[in-house]
Amino acid sequence: MAKNVNRFRDRFLKNKVWINGYKSFHYLMQKPVGHLYLFEPESHLFRLSKKKSCALCTNSQEDRIKCERFVQETCTAIVKEAINDNPRILECPHHVQSCILPLIYKKKAHGFIILCGLPIRQKHVLQTISCFHYFVKAQIENAYREEEIEAIYENLHPRALAMSTMHTVHRIISSSLHIDDLLPRLARFTSQVLKADYSAIYLLDEKKKFLVKRFETGSVKNAAITGQKRIQVS
């Protein structure tokens, strides 16, 4: 589960558009302390601003607990009850002006970004927050769409490969009536698909007591494998 969270976090936070955009907006908003909080599959808090500290990042356990509760309980409740992704202005437990930006995709809240230490009274800061809101919204949509496309690819690619393999095997078998022509082609194709160094085909003898090697291709250092000319059927 943590792996999925980290994969989305990396896709979102390590995107060059996000890095450059956040850097610019961060400066215009007077460098607030930023955190990303994701709900699923388990709640995770990621720090966005590395050069500035707040109670969440200090050594004071009491202050850190207050802020963690504020993020995990108060902010989470506000976002999960939200009907839209508009920014919310509120005070943190230390009476510092903060802003929550809900991360909503397909009508579902996935987390939020919290900016702490905002000079809200400055008009241009409020205007910048409004622009930053649309920037975040676009980045979140792109990140989740990439996640969906990757999931579709991971699901369909093995099926497409299997169907392609079956089609090729059927074509090889249909291309000749002579087994001595078919076996080399099937063995080489099998080695290619499985990326094997060595491949051998055994056929059951007339008395159905032994599997007899009819064709082999490639090489392997294990003589016990290559040296088996026939295998007794138990």
Side-chain angles (χ1 to χ4, degrees), residues 147-183:
E147 187 99 343
E148 290 172 350
I149 291 171
E150 187 173 305
I152 291 172
Y153 175 79
E154 289 177 354
N155 185 42
L156 292 181
H157 181 66
R159 298 183 184 183
L161 182 61
M163 290 184 67
S164 175
T165 302
M166 290 174 62
H167 174 72
T168 304
V169 170
H170 180 268
R171 183 163 48 82
I172 291 173
I173 293 173
S174 303
S175 65
S176 177
L177 296 175
H178 302 287
I179 195 166
D180 290 334
D181 294 334
L182 292 176
L183 294 182

Side-chain angles (χ1 to χ4, degrees), residues 118-132:
L118 286 163
I120 301 297
R121 293 181 181 179
Q122 298 183 28
K123 186 177 179 181
H124 80 277
V125 172
L126 286 174
Q127 293 173 340
T128 304
I129 290 173
S130 179
C131 296
F132 181 62

